[in-house]
Amino acid sequence: MARVDGDGLAEAFLREPRRYTSHQVAEMAGVPVYRARRFWRALGFANVPDDAVEFTDSDVEALKTLLGMVTSGVYDEEHVLLIARSLGRATTRLAESQAELGAEALDHAGVPLAERPRAWRRRAERVVPDLAKLLVYAWQRQLAAAAGRIAEQDMSAVRLAVGFADLVAFTRLSRQITGGELARLIDRFEGRSADIVTSSGGRVVKTLGDSVLFVSDKAHVAAEIALRLVETHARGKDMPELRVGLASGPVIWRMGDVFGTTVNLASRLTALSLPGTILADPQLAEELEGDRAFRLREVNRLSVRGLGELAPYTVMRAGSA
């Protein structure tokens, strides 16, 4: 929340003037400043000096909204803080990516560094209103889909098929190519992977540059996603080979992420997979048994770090060599 510069750049994106200190905002919201700062830190905003005039009318309204969710009884304070943290994490990543794309656009346009603040202000006036509308639109659609999935689900007993796909030898490759080439490779990998997962009926949990974590309600959907990921990226120019680990079982959903032994097992199986192959745990393989779209082959028992020994299966398309 600190000032970016003296060129009015922050106001161009905030779309309103900064006129309050943190103490003034807390006073207008009717809470001690230490409590206001709890919410701001949850949203990902750093503390600012007490006399810094960094806050707008929207900051006052946002704090009142958070507090109102508590006083109305809709949520307790800890749940509101969790909501704020999830918003902070999601919007921080979103804002960073959009700012990077904006900088790339100015680079491609040949805008000199000395003229960047003015160009950024013009860009903010053009794109911020549209991006704000798209942000709310996408969030509402995703919320509707998520609520539909879990409205009648016992969240303490969620069972999913989990997939973890990883680019082979990515670290070595990253030392051999330029930063620009690496960025383009990651963009292609993440974009194609997200398209494959969502179009096949799965859900992307997160991407980590050289890997993607996805889930599905059905084992056969996860297997199809894994095969399409391997096949599609194998056809990509200058794209490293992919390997995938699959596991099925109980997971813990928290803050939009998944945790638990099933997730760990999928990750461990990925590390044990050969380039261009898919390893599935016995549970997921059992759920695929009898499905004519796939061919399973049991491999030798493997020691899975932290999880003991098991005999996984390679997953292939029916009729493949």
Side-chain angles (χ1 to χ4, degrees):
M1 297 176 75
R3 290 181 180 272
V4 176
D5 52 41
D7 295 312
L9 184 57
E11 279 83 357
F13 285 95
L14 295 173
R15 302 184 65 76
E16 57 184 328
R18 293 173 287 180
R19 60 180 71 186
Y20 308 117
T21 66
S22 57
H23 285 267
Q24 289 172 324
V25 174
E27 182 179 354
M28 285 185 282
V31 293
V33 71
Y34 76 83
R35 192 176 175 204
R37 282 175 174 158
R38 281 192 77 196
F39 289 106
W40 291 329
R41 286 195 298 270
L43 286 165
F45 305 147
N47 288 341
V48 297
D50 289 348
D51 60 350
V53 180
E54 293 289 347
F55 297 87
T56 69
D57 290 325
S58 292
D59 291 303
V60 179
E61 289 305 312
L63 183 56
K64 287 181 177 179
T65 298
L66 290 166
L67 293 166
M69 294 169 76
V70 177
T71 57
S72 67
V74 175
Y75 297 103
D76 61 29
E77 184 154 330
E78 289 307 311
H79 277 99
V80 172
L81 286 168
L82 285 173
I83 291 171
R85 289 189 191 103
S86 67
L87 283 171
R89 285 207 291 262
T91 54
T92 294
R93 183 174 181 182
L94 181 65
E96 290 286 351
S97 67
Q98 290 172 345
E100 289 168 8
L101 291 173
E104 287 181 12
L106 295 181
D107 283 340
H108 292 160
V111 178
L113 286 176
E115 297 178 15
R116 290 292 174 88
R118 185 184 305 167
W120 270 110
R121 287 198 303 273
R122 290 198 301 267
R123 190 170 189 83
E125 292 169 2
R126 294 177 58 187
V127 304
V128 168
D130 289 340
L131 288 176
K133 292 176 186 176
L134 287 171
L135 176 61
V136 174
Y137 160 76
W139 166 74
Q140 287 181 318
R141 296 290 299 186
Q142 294 287 2
L143 182 59
R149 285 194 301 269
I150 68 175
E152 299 179 357
Q153 190 173 54
D154 181 359
M155 294 304 291
S156 65
V158 178
R159 294 185 62 86
L160 292 172
V162 179
F164 195 89
D166 174 62
L167 289 173
V168 178
F170 179 79
T171 302
R172 184 171 68 247
L173 175 65
S174 66
R175 300 193 191 104
Q176 299 170 349
I177 60 178
T178 67
E181 290 170 334
L182 180 62
R184 287 189 290 274
L185 186 147
I186 292 172
D187 288 343
R188 291 200 308 274
F189 171 69
E190 292 189 346
R192 289 173 182 168
S193 297
D195 286 346
I196 290 167
V197 173
T198 54
S199 65
S200 301
R203 303 188 293 282
V204 175
V205 177
K206 59 186 173 185
T207 57
L208 301 170
D210 63 337
S211 59
V212 57
L213 175 63
F214 62 91
V215 297
S216 170
D217 297 323
K218 303 293 184 182
H220 71 89
V221 173
E224 178 62 27
I225 289 170
L227 287 164
R228 288 187 62 195
L229 285 171
V230 170
E231 293 161 354
T232 301
H233 289 301
R235 294 193 296 267
K237 183 180 179 182
D238 300 324
M239 183 67 69
E241 287 189 281
L242 198 69
R243 56 187 179 180
V244 185
L246 297 174
S248 180
V251 301
I252 300 169
W253 272 107
R254 196 64 176 167
M255 305 281 286
D257 206 344
V258 288
F259 306 92
T261 301
T262 305
V263 180
N264 294 338
L265 180 53
S267 176
R268 300 286 192 272
L269 288 174
T270 303
L272 295 171
S273 302
L274 295 173
T277 67
I278 301 162
L279 273 185
D281 78 319
Q283 178 60 46
L284 190 135
E286 182 180 333
E287 294 173 24
L288 291 178
E289 195 170 344
D291 191 322
R292 296 183 177 181
F294 309 104
R295 183 161 68 91
L296 304 173
R297 185 181 67 197
E298 187 175 5
V299 300
N300 295 331
R301 295 186 69 83
L302 299 173
S303 178
V304 181
R305 182 165 56 89
L307 298 171
E309 289 191 351
L310 58 82
Y313 291 75
T314 56
V315 180
M316 297 166 282
R317 288 203 183 279
S320 60

